[in-house]
Amino acid sequence: MPKKTLADLPDLRGKRVLIRVDFNVPQDAAGNITNDRRIRAALPTIRAVLDGGASAIVMSHLGRPKGDPRKDAAFRMDRVGRRLGELLGKPVRKMDEVVGPAVTAAVQALKPGEVLLLENLRFHPGEQAGDAAFAAQLAGLADAYVNDAFGTCHRKDASMFAGPAAMAGKPRVVGTLVAKELEVLDKLLSAPPRPLVGILGGAKVSDKIGFIKSLLTRVDKVLIGGAMTYTFLKCQGHNVGGSKVEGDKLDVARELLTLGQGKIVLPVDHLVVQKLDDPATARVVEGEVPDGWIGVDIGPKTIAQYRDAIGQAGTVVWNGPMGKFEDEPYSKGTKAIAAAMATSKAVTIVGGGETAEAVEDFGLAEKMTHVSTGGGAFLEYVEGTPFAALAQIESV
Ligand code: 3PG
Ligand code: MG
């Protein structure tokens, strides 16, 4: 059932709207935001609420704070609030508490068009516990609830589930970002233009077993890259040299190959090095990886094959890099996949934090049909897991 969206909200003039976003952005060691796309992706919703004459109470988690105040300082929302203010072009009042008297007072003083950002939701023990009393405090802050946090929709945290549950009777809708994610991914699951080609990379088969199984029931082909390649090759009895292998997942890899009935395509050549940090030793090998060598990227023949498959596809869905792409000399495969998708006429969908960030860094995000803001949420949605958080949103 399609979900109600911002367009279904009643007259917002003078109202307060609680907006759950996913501002869980990557930060460097000094706490600087290294990629703000999740903040940018939520701007249309926040702007729509403000333009409608309401005030916005924005809330998110950031990272996985452990409840130690000294270590948790890095997870405060100050930098996120500053960036949001810059992007919105208006002041954002950042609170130092999640709930409590100071927040209640600030919320009561809000005027139409004003924005308030709560402190990191996970500083409150009730958030991840899904606590009803905490959820009731959040619910009491506003007249309406908007879920624009696709990246967190696979969680049952209080702000995602018990909070909107406690707002039953008030309008509860999805924002623009979530609406687009659901539209694109529902189409991928129900009626994708064919052939449907999946591209799967990353280090571990074990992280993505459910995702691969689900893909295999839907796709015409899955092209494999990244270190998971070597777990697949090894289970077939190939030599993989010193490449990263999940030795305890060979049975799983074998099971997936059997399930795939020929749909799983493995690289035919590899960029290999003798030492990970020594690109000067890099060379291309076909078939087996010799002893003493480590695979770090797909090779040129594989790139050409995958490019052809993308060129002939009706839909391409991609998750996981093709190699150790964060090191420039090993990034050719990942870049080539991104470039082939960017120029293809297919519906192109990129999911997963790392893959989405890579596509952005290559400057190709705008050339894709859809770059998901979800990491775990993207994988789980495509696997077919129903999201309890979305059940709290009214259906059309
Ligand atoms: C994510 O980045 O996957 C979401 O923000 C959820 O974060 P979590 O995995 O810490 O729950
Ligand atoms: Mg995660």
Side-chain angles (χ1 to χ4, degrees), residues 7 38 65 95 119 131 135 149 165 239 243 251 259 277 285 327 346 348:
R38 279 180 161 178
M95 303 305 297
E119 185 52 281
D131 179 58
N239 196 5
S243 306
D251 287 346
L259 260 179
D277 57 359
V285 296
D327 296 336
T348 49

Side-chain angles (χ1 to χ4, degrees), residues 81-97:
R82 275 201 294 278
R83 182 62 59 88
L84 176 61
E86 285 159 20
L87 292 168
L88 274 176
K90 59 161 60 207
V92 169
R93 175 155 184 214
K94 188 258 159 188
M95 303 305 297
D96 290 332
E97 299 83 24

Side-chain angles (χ1 to χ4, degrees), residues 232-306:
F232 280 113
L233 288 177
K234 175 112 186 173
C235 89
Q236 293 180 319
H238 294 288
N239 196 5
V240 297
S243 306
K244 209 191 255 181
V245 166
E246 283 184 281
D248 59 341
K249 291 294 178 302
L250 298 178
D251 287 346
V252 174
R254 218 170 280 127
E255 184 202 336
L256 292 171
L257 287 170
T258 307
L259 260 179
Q261 295 179 333
K263 287 181 182 174
I264 295 182
V265 181
L266 296 171
V268 293
D269 61 349
H270 317 271
L271 186 75
V272 297
V273 292
Q274 283 181 306
K275 275 199 208 137
L276 272 186
D277 57 359
D278 191 1
T281 61
R283 65 181 178 108
V284 172
V285 296
E286 280 182 39
E288 313 273 313
V289 177
D291 289 337
W293 295 81
I294 307 163
V296 289
D297 197 7
I298 54 176
K301 283 199 177 155
T302 306
I303 290 177
Q305 269 188 14
Y306 287 8

Side-chain angles (χ1 to χ4, degrees), residues 24 38 61 64 122 151 154-155 375-377:
N24 184 23
R38 279 180 161 178
H61 72 288
R64 293 175 175 173
R122 287 188 182 171
H154 57 322
R155 302 289 182 226

